[in-house]
Amino acid sequence: MGIESREAWLRQIREGKSFLLISHINPDGDTVGSVLGLRLALLSMGKTVTIVCDGDIPRNMSMLTGYDLYLKPDEVNAVYDTAIAVDISSKDMMGASLPLFEAAQVKMVLDHHATNQAYGEINWIRRGEAACCQLVYDAIMELGVTITPEMANCVLLGLSTDTGHFEYASTSSLTMHTAAELVDAGGDLPRITKLMYRSQPMRRIQMTKIAYRKMHFECDGQIGVIELTRDDFTSTGCTFGEVDGLVNLALEIEGVRFAYLASERENGIKISLRAAEPDVVNDVALHFGGGGHAQAAGCTIYEPLETASAMVLEMLREKAK
Ligand code: 5GP
Ligand code: MN
C-alpha cells in the first residue's frame, strides 16, 4: 500500500512527462469523463497522454473530446513515467490494463470509492465523494489550468452520471456549485441530459420491458430482484453497458430497501447492488470479491445465474431482517 496524499499526487502531475490514464472495465460516465477531462488538462500543461480501457466506451458519450482516442490494452506498447487508475475501486477493475499500470514507473490512483484500499504508490482518494470527476475538477483548479468548454463537458458528464443526474444522496452543495461552475465554463447540460437519459436505444427499452416483467420481490417487498439471462441480451441486442442503471427500476419502488440486478455475462454473473439510505450494500459486494460505494456496489460471482442470485439474496435477507 502506498501513500495517500493529494499534495504528492499533484506534485507528480506537475513533474511527470508521459501519462497513461486508465478507465475501468464496464466503463461508465464517471471513469470516462474523468479520464477525458484529465487528459485535456494534462495536454494543456504540455504532457504526453495516452488513454486506455479494457472495454468499449458507450456510444452516448461520443460528444466528449477524446472519446475516439481510447486504446485497447494490447494496443499500448510504450512505458509511461506515470500511470493513473481513474475511478477504479480495486486493481481487478482494470481488467487487461493492469499490467500496463504495473509497468509504469510511478503508479497513481485517483478515486472516490469507499472500498478503495490505496493500491497505488501515490493515491488521492476522497472516499464518499459524489464522483471522481469532482476530484478532476479540483485538480484542474489547483493546477491553474484554464478550463475549456471541452473539459467542462467531460467533468460535467461524469458528475451527472455518478449522482443519478444530481439525485442521489451523494449529491452535495459542492456538487451543485461545481456543476454551476462547469456550466459557466461552457458545459452543455441540456445536451448531456439528452444524450445520457433522454434518447435511449430501442433495444434498451426492450430490455427495460423484460426487466419489469422479470422483477420480483422478497422479504415483504424490501428486496427487489432482476435477473437477466444471456438470452435476454441476445434477443434484445443490448450490450452489457446498456443495462447500466436498470437496477434502479427496482430500487425506486416504495418499500424497497435493497435491489440487485444479476446479469449473465460470458464469464460469470455480474451483480449490481443498490440500497436506499441508510442501508448499505458494499459489504455484500466486498464479501464476493467486489466493491463500490455504500449504496451502489458490484461484484462478479462465478456460478450459474440461479446459484449466484440465491447467494446474494441470502445475504440481503439477513440485512432486511
Ligand atoms: P454498477 O452496479 O453500476 O456496475 O457499479 C456500482 C459501483 O460499484 C461502481 O462504482 C463500480 O465501480 C463498483 N463496482 C461494480 N462492480 C465491481 C466489482 O466487481 N469490483 C469492484 N471493486 N467494484 C465494483
Ligand atoms: Mn465513479
Side-chain angles (χ1 to χ4, degrees):
M1 213 185 297
I3 58 162
E4 282 199 47
S5 162
R6 176 178 181 269
E7 284 63 41
W9 193 95
L10 290 166
R11 195 178 319 123
Q12 179 60 24
I13 292 283
R14 289 193 184 92
E15 291 171 3
K17 289 190 172 56
S18 64
F19 290 81
L20 179 69
L21 308 183
I22 307 171
S23 281
H24 60 71
I25 55 171
N26 306 316
D28 61 10
D30 194 27
T31 194
V32 173
S34 295
V35 157
L36 295 180
L38 193 55
R39 170 183 172 271
L40 291 173
L42 290 170
L43 288 179
S44 80
M45 296 170 75
K47 317 288 184 183
T48 305
V49 187
T50 298
I51 57 177
V52 66
C53 181
D54 180 8
D56 295 328
I57 311 301
R59 284 188 287 268
N60 55 358
M61 298 172 199
S62 64
M63 67 174 282
L64 301 182
T65 305
Y67 166 87
D68 47 1
L69 297 179
Y70 268 99
L71 297 181
K72 289 277 159 34
D74 62 4
E75 294 170 329
V76 179
N77 39 37
V79 173
Y80 298 83
D81 62 42
T82 312
I84 313 181
V86 181
D87 188 41
I88 305 185
S89 55
S90 61
K91 276 186 177 182
D92 56 303
M93 293 288 285
M94 281 186 251
S97 302
L98 180 58
L100 302 170
F101 178 77
E102 301 288 12
Q105 285 160 32
V106 181
K107 303 165 233 324
M108 304 223 287
V109 167
L110 181 69
D111 194 28
H112 69 129
H113 288 92
T115 53
N116 196 309
Q117 308 235 327
Y119 55 83
E121 288 160 348
I122 305 173
N123 305 271
W124 178 14
I125 303 165
R126 211 188 287 159
R127 293 180 181 79
E129 184 53 81
C132 192
C133 272
Q134 181 67 58
L135 279 77
V136 172
Y137 182 75
D138 291 2
I140 289 172
M141 292 297 116
E142 187 64 29
L143 292 164
V145 169
T146 303
I147 189 157
T148 60
E150 290 75 23
M151 271 181 227
N153 273 329
C154 296
V155 179
L156 190 54
L157 186 144
L159 212 53
S160 158
T161 54
D162 251 33
T163 56
H165 210 42
F166 309 104
E167 285 186 7
Y168 300 159
S170 57
T171 311
S172 64
S173 154
L174 174 67
T175 320
M176 302 307 276
H177 279 290
T178 303
E181 283 162 23
L182 290 165
V183 169
D184 283 342
D188 190 343
L189 195 57
R191 185 150 174 241
I192 291 171
T193 307
K194 174 75 179 155
L195 289 171
M196 300 308 295
Y197 316 106
R198 304 283 177 260
S199 49
Q200 301 189 44
M202 188 56 83
R203 54 187 178 275
R204 190 172 193 272
I205 302 301
Q206 305 293 2
M207 195 61 124
T208 306
K209 286 166 136 181
I210 294 176
Y212 269 123
R213 200 168 63 236
K214 290 192 160 179
M215 194 183 288
H216 59 97
F217 302 91
E218 307 290 332
C219 289
D220 299 323
Q222 294 184 80
I223 305 173
V225 183
I226 306 171
E227 286 142 339
L228 299 177
T229 64
R230 206 164 305 175
D231 275 355
D232 296 327
F233 284 94
T234 317
S235 68
T236 57
C238 253
T239 63
F240 295 128
E242 283 168 347
V243 301
D244 237 31
L246 277 191
V247 60
N248 292 312
L249 299 178
L251 190 71
E252 68 194 21
I253 292 166
E254 209 172 84
V256 173
R257 293 168 58 196
F258 304 94
Y260 69 91
L261 167 72
S263 50
E264 198 175 15
R265 311 254 164 133
E266 288 115 11
N267 54 348
I269 308 301
K270 165 81 207 286
I271 307 286
S272 234
L273 285 149
R274 297 292 184 271
E277 268 209 313
D279 290 306
V280 302
V281 278
N282 53 359
D283 52 345
V284 178
L286 270 176
H287 175 83
F288 293 111
H293 307 292
Q295 279 87 29
C299 58
T300 297
I301 301 179
Y302 301 93
E303 297 284 350
L305 180 59
E306 255 181 52
T307 316
S309 183
M311 288 161 81
V312 174
L313 187 55
E314 190 185 323
M315 285 199 72
L316 290 179
R317 275 183 198 283
E318 279 304 309
K319 292 168 76 75
K321 267 183 188 162

